Amino acid sequence: MIHDQNATLDEPAVVVRSLRRDYGSRTVIQGLELRIARGEFVVLLGESGCGKTTLLRALAGLDPLDGGSIDGASRPAVVFQEPRLLPWEPIWRNVTLGLRDDNRTRAAAALSEVGLGDRLDDWPRTLSGGQAQRVALARALVQEPRLLLLDEPFAALDALTRIKMQALVRQLVAKHQPGVLLVTHDVDEAIVLADRAMVMRNGAIACEFTVSAAARAHRSHPEAINLRERLLSELGVSDLPVAA
């Protein structure tokens, strides 16, 4: 079951206890424990099929639980890999989809935060991929969620746009203070964004690492290099240079 609580900033964004999720006779997640604090940025890595997206869907309330509990917000905000904008609605109405009313003023404020304050009445088809993801992010944050779930939201973007979006997300999380769980396959992205980086294996959290501010800020910092090697090792990937 998912329990709703009255949140304050000193409370956790979400607490997962002994979570189990089955697909038919196959157990995908078993005995998983997780706690994310308000304002904390947690990144989840793991091989395809290890249960990352299953966990995210359970946290989002999109799938039922087969065991355990999730204590936290009943309506966490989710940003998917695809922006999932409604093409027949103007951009500002896409932002208010998560609200109980079409509040144009709140939509305008949210779009201004992501650098699209002048695009309220434009149509989704006029946006680039990065701009569409900015709208999706505005739609999530306008709800002021305790928990923000990000399912590889930058995977389809070009390298430069991805870097800009990473910086924007980090900035907005610092401002709004939701707890964040980002699912990604990108180790470098995890180091740039995370306060904690976790590796999921066989339906459970296999290990986790604290990411220092120095490692986040400088890719060439010794702590960043060491963490990258450790994460790659946990993921079963060799970091040996490719011969010319």
Side-chain angles (χ1 to χ4, degrees):
M1 66 187 70
I2 298 180
H3 311 284
D4 195 13
Q5 299 174 345
N6 293 321
T8 61
L9 290 179
D10 59 352
E11 290 181 334
V14 68
V15 179
V16 180
R17 298 182 179 91
S18 302
L19 180 65
R20 192 181 87 248
R21 183 74 179 98
D22 302 329
Y23 285 132
S25 61
R26 184 168 68 96
T27 298
V28 179
I29 295 177
Q30 176 64 53
L32 188 140
E33 306 280 334
L34 176 65
R35 182 185 188 278
I36 301 175
R38 290 292 299 264
E40 183 181 26
F41 206 123
V42 176
V43 176
L44 187 63
L45 297 151
E47 296 180 355
S48 296
C50 71
K52 300 188 304 299
T53 297
T54 298
L55 171 60
L56 187 141
R57 289 182 61 85
L59 291 172
L62 299 175
D63 290 343
L65 308 183
D66 296 298
S69 64
I70 298 174
D71 296 299
S74 61
R75 291 189 62 188
V78 188
V79 179
F80 297 97
Q81 183 172 340
E82 296 296 330
R84 302 190 179 188
L85 304 182
L86 302 180
W88 56 85
E89 294 285 8
I91 290 169
W92 78 268
R93 286 192 180 276
N94 270 278
V95 171
T96 61
L97 286 175
L99 303 179
R100 293 182 178 179
D101 55 61
D102 288 342
N103 192 316
R104 183 183 172 90
T105 301
R106 287 181 65 183
L111 285 167
S112 292
E113 283 191 327
V114 299
L116 295 173
D118 60 343
R119 304 293 298 271
L120 272 74
D121 295 308
D122 290 354
W123 300 97
R125 66 176 179 273
T126 68
L127 300 175
S128 67
Q131 289 170 335
Q133 279 298 64
R134 286 172 183 256
V135 174
L137 182 60
R139 181 175 59 197
L141 290 175
V142 77
Q143 302 175 46
E144 293 291 343
R146 282 179 58 189
L147 180 63
L148 176 62
L149 303 171
L150 304 173
D151 189 9
E152 299 192 72
F154 317 128
L157 304 179
D158 64 83
L160 182 58
T161 303
R162 186 161 59 246
I163 291 170
K164 292 178 179 178
M165 286 296 296
Q166 290 167 352
L168 176 63
V169 166
R170 188 77 195 181
Q171 172 190 336
L172 291 174
V173 167
K175 177 179 179 179
H176 291 271
Q177 291 290 297
V180 181
L181 181 66
L182 166 67
V183 170
T184 183
H185 286 94
D186 189 332
V187 169
D188 291 322
E189 181 171 87
I191 296 172
V192 165
L193 290 174
D195 297 308
R196 279 190 294 153
M198 298 180 169
V199 175
M200 191 169 185
R201 191 160 49 242
N202 299 324
I205 304 300
C207 59
E208 66 176 77
F209 303 91
T210 299
V211 185
S212 70
R216 284 196 300 272
H218 304 286
R219 185 175 180 179
S220 59
H221 192 282
E223 291 184 25
I225 294 171
N226 178 62
L227 179 56
R228 185 175 190 275
E229 292 175 350
R230 294 178 71 184
L231 287 170
L232 287 171
S233 177
E234 290 290 343
L235 292 165
V237 178
S238 171
D239 197 25
L240 295 175
V242 178

